[in-house]
Amino acid sequence: DRDLVLLAVHGSWRALGFASQRLRSDREVAFAAIAQNWQALNLLSDALKDDCSVVLEAVRGSWEALRYALEDPRADKQVLLEATKQSGKALQYASLQLRADRE
């Protein structure tokens, strides 16, 4: 039940680990979990790990969230700029195209 998972995730992001794959693909559940801890990104569906807005929210918690991100967020300038504000180490997760971009 979605409401039960939302309630559980508000208490602890780790509750996401017990949610169905369908609920791990739910944006509201995702944002609730990420608000608790950026590491929740690792428990989300691949579709959400490839969603720039979801990954950006996780990166605001820690640049290290990029290690769980898939292709699109790693090629997104806004996501990478937010991450590199925290640590230059974030560049290791940038797409080759962004690494070559001098801007």
Side-chain angles (χ1 to χ4, degrees):
D1 174 66
R2 183 175 185 271
D3 292 334
L4 182 61
V5 170
L6 271 172
L7 184 63
V9 165
H10 280 290
S12 171
W13 65 274
R14 293 174 197 257
L16 188 59
F18 299 100
S20 69
Q21 191 60 35
R22 181 181 63 81
L23 290 171
R24 289 181 193 206
S25 298
D26 184 290
R27 290 176 63 81
E28 187 178 354
V29 171
F31 281 111
I34 289 169
Q36 292 291 319
N37 190 302
W38 62 269
Q39 293 178 349
L41 182 64
N42 189 38
L43 299 175
L44 298 178
S45 68
D46 284 351
L48 292 181
K49 289 179 187 177
D50 206 33
D51 182 303
C52 292
S53 63
V54 171
V55 173
L56 178 60
E57 193 60 32
V59 164
R60 287 182 175 135
S62 173
W63 68 270
E64 292 180 274
L66 278 178
R67 78 174 120 174
Y68 302 128
L70 297 183
E71 189 175 329
D72 284 352
R74 290 177 181 219
D76 185 273
K77 273 188 177 182
Q78 185 179 5
V79 171
L80 264 293
L81 284 174
E82 183 65 35
T84 55
K85 284 181 196 174
Q86 297 172 37
S87 174
K89 292 179 183 179
L91 289 174
Q92 68 185 310
Y93 297 108
S95 68
L96 293 176
Q97 180 184 4
L98 269 186
R99 284 189 221 173
D101 188 344
R102 296 289 177 196
E103 287 184 33

